[in-house]
Amino acid sequence: MNRLLELLNDSVWHFAVSRVKFGIGAADEVGCDIKSLGVKKALLVTDEAIMKSGVVDIVTSSLDKEKIEYHIWDRAEPEPSLKSILECIEYAKKIDPEGFISVGGGSVMDAAKIVDLIITYGGDVLDYVAPPTGKGKPPEGPLKPHIAIPTTSGTGSETSPAAVVNLVEQKLKVGISHHFLRPTLAILDPRMTVTCPPRVTASAGMDALSHAIGSYTTRRFDQKPKPKTPLERPAYAGRTPLTDIFSSEAIKIIASYLRRAVYHPKDLEARAGMQIGAFYAAIAFTNAGVLPDHAISYPIGGRYRTPHGLTVAVLLPAVMEFCLPSDYKRFADVARFLGEDVKGLSIFEAAHKSIEAVKRLEKDIGVPNGLEALGVKEEDIPALAKETLKEQRLLAGSPRPITEEDIKEILRSAMKNY
Ligand SMILES: [Fe+2]
């Protein structure tokens, strides 16, 4: 009997989410929030562009009001390199903070997570990076408190257990993933996103849409192998009835607000919509997983330093096309959630409409036309496909078995999208 049970797929799912606070004015409460976590001295991680935008002032005046000692590290990089994270760790060691506040996009929040990990437990960054590049060591326990305040609506890093590092010399982006990396509190205040430029809004918004579509169509939890022990059940454990609620809503919300947020940056209703849509998408994908667009995007980002959101955006139509035969019904749902009229269509025709809808949205908001427009060279496709195979953690979510040849075909097809 036990032998038979070992051969069966998983039959259990779990669900995790960060504490969250949402609304116009939520960021004014950060001083009180960090104090309630027992932090009297904090390191505020951000980047130069966000410092210049003035939104950090909302946070610092709240910290001043509560008499919290804080030090600002404003040299976080987009797609952070290991070097920049090590610099931040050195700075943090001098300060010896009791907690962290990150104000920025996914890169800033990811940098804060990694610095928090090393400051709390020591060791080298690569000790914690997923194998085969790193040793895959889990954190020994909870990290120091971290409040994440996103200034973009997309990555979902404010509730995700993952952080990405760019190993520039190896031209490779790698991740650290563990539930202890989830920020203690996510503060979503739409005012923090109004200075986000249209191109970044489009890129981050498409990242969020790829999380939403990916988590709705990824493998179901009971289509994945049973882990040997409960502790080995991965963070991205497959879609469940609960993740479906968040992913389907996220697709609808993002489809309603992304164009508005790109073309009307100060439209607070659209900004709030995108924050909620991206957060729902993040709740869904950080439990369910994503499609192979994310795995394929990492070697591209590592090699060409292309923005994460735009990279997954240009890959998404080809990846959806590849995954479509795994479940036409699911992709027909996606078409409907995106606002397509599918009345009278067969399930196959309706499913294909989901790809058309994604391409139309990308064209409308100025996403570059395929990998070629991002500078990807056709001759690099074999190497990119090979490197993608190292991203098994993410490839495991593909609802259709995927080979190196399939990845090459997806890359070729994504060179031009419309
Ligand atoms: Fe993403």
Side-chain angles (χ1 to χ4, degrees):
M1 185 61 183
N2 283 345
R3 175 89 188 100
L4 176 64
L5 283 175
E6 276 171 24
L7 293 171
L8 291 176
N9 278 343
D10 204 355
S11 54
V12 174
W13 58 264
H14 69 289
F15 188 83
V17 62
S18 288
R19 244 182 82 206
V20 62
K21 180 175 261 199
F22 171 81
I24 295 168
D28 296 327
E29 300 179 8
V30 62
C32 194
D33 289 323
I34 196 95
K35 199 180 198 173
S36 73
L37 290 166
V39 175
K40 291 188 211 75
K41 183 167 48 166
L43 179 63
L44 193 160
V45 181
T46 187
D47 68 29
E48 282 178 342
I50 292 158
M51 278 303 281
K52 275 190 205 136
S53 77
V55 291
V56 176
D57 299 347
I58 295 176
V59 174
T60 52
S61 41
S62 173
L63 296 174
D64 288 334
K65 208 168 132 198
E66 294 295 333
K67 300 195 171 41
I68 304 290
E69 181 186 339
Y70 61 87
H71 300 262
I72 299 178
W73 172 265
D74 65 358
R75 290 170 59 198
E77 285 180 342
E79 323 292 327
S81 65
L82 182 56
K83 187 171 160 275
S84 78
I85 286 172
L86 293 176
E87 283 170 10
C88 187
I89 290 170
E90 282 314 305
Y91 182 74
K93 277 183 182 163
K94 283 183 213 147
I95 309 261
D96 193 21
E98 294 160 348
F100 294 81
I101 299 167
S102 53
V103 181
S107 306
V108 169
M109 293 183 274
D110 282 7
K113 288 177 190 177
I114 299 171
V115 176
D116 189 356
L117 172 62
I118 302 297
I119 290 298
T120 311
Y121 292 109
D124 291 327
V125 175
L126 282 177
D127 290 345
Y128 300 96
V129 165
T133 315
K135 293 182 189 158
K137 183 179 153 191
E140 286 163 39
L143 310 189
K144 292 189 180 193
H146 171 199
I147 296 182
I149 309 178
T151 57
T152 60
S153 298
T155 65
S157 185
E158 66 272 17
T159 185
S160 92
V164 177
V165 196
N166 199 340
L167 304 179
V168 180
E169 277 157 28
Q170 283 123 292
K171 294 182 177 168
L172 197 63
K173 278 168 91 170
V174 291
I176 300 178
S177 182
H178 193 279
H179 68 93
F180 285 139
L181 261 65
R182 282 185 199 270
T184 322
L185 171 68
I187 296 183
L188 305 178
D189 186 330
R191 291 175 306 166
M192 301 300 287
T193 64
V194 290
T195 56
C196 180
R199 191 177 155 87
V200 181
T201 302
S203 173
M206 285 308 302
D207 187 23
L209 185 65
S210 79
H211 297 154
I213 295 176
S215 50
Y216 190 77
T217 54
T218 189
R219 274 206 283 178
R220 208 173 55 207
F221 74 99
D222 56 0
Q223 292 166 337
K224 299 184 111 174
K226 198 176 191 69
K228 284 199 188 78
T229 69
L231 289 177
E232 286 173 62
R233 183 170 290 115
Y236 298 174
R239 63 183 164 84
T240 69
L242 189 49
T243 62
D244 280 354
I245 292 171
F246 287 100
S247 53
S248 56
E249 277 305 303
I251 300 170
K252 292 179 209 166
I253 297 169
I254 294 166
S256 302
Y257 289 113
L258 181 50
R259 290 174 177 89
R260 259 172 75 179
V262 169
Y263 288 106
H264 307 285
K266 292 185 180 144
D267 179 340
L268 270 181
E269 189 192 325
R271 292 295 196 178
M274 280 309 298
Q275 269 198 324
I276 285 290
F279 188 67
Y280 280 12
I283 292 174
F285 96 86
T286 58
N287 286 287
V290 279
L291 291 179
D293 53 342
H294 270 68
I296 303 173
S297 79
Y298 284 137
I300 298 170
R303 190 174 282 250
Y304 301 98
R305 305 215 73 174
T306 51
H308 171 70
L310 292 182
T311 317
V312 291
V314 300
L315 288 166
L316 188 58
V319 166
M320 287 169 72
E321 182 99 53
F322 172 77
C323 296
L324 212 75
S326 71
D327 197 334
Y328 280 96
K329 163 78 174 65
R330 285 251 142 194
F331 284 94
D333 290 345
V334 171
R336 211 160 31 80
F337 301 153
L338 287 168
E340 292 294 307
D341 183 1
V342 296
K343 270 190 229 101
L345 297 183
S346 73
I347 205 106
F348 308 107
E349 290 166 327
H352 278 282
K353 282 259 187 186
S354 66
I355 301 170
E356 283 170 37
V358 168
K359 286 186 184 176
R360 190 183 312 113
L361 173 59
E362 293 191 358
K363 204 171 174 184
D364 283 353
I365 61 172
V367 170
N369 185 7
L371 289 171
E372 198 180 280
L374 286 182
V376 175
K377 308 250 176 336
E378 188 108 35
E379 61 262 29
D380 289 340
I381 286 178
L384 290 170
K386 205 169 263 327
E387 285 164 28
T388 300
L389 293 177
K390 291 182 191 159
E391 306 287 345
Q392 283 305 323
R393 178 179 74 92
L394 292 166
L395 284 176
S398 180
R400 180 178 168 179
I402 185 165
T403 65
E404 195 174 334
E405 271 316 303
D406 295 327
I407 297 165
K408 282 188 208 162
E409 199 46 53
I410 289 169
L411 285 162
R412 273 186 221 111
S413 152
M415 288 302 277
K416 223 179 195 94
N417 279 337
Y418 47 83

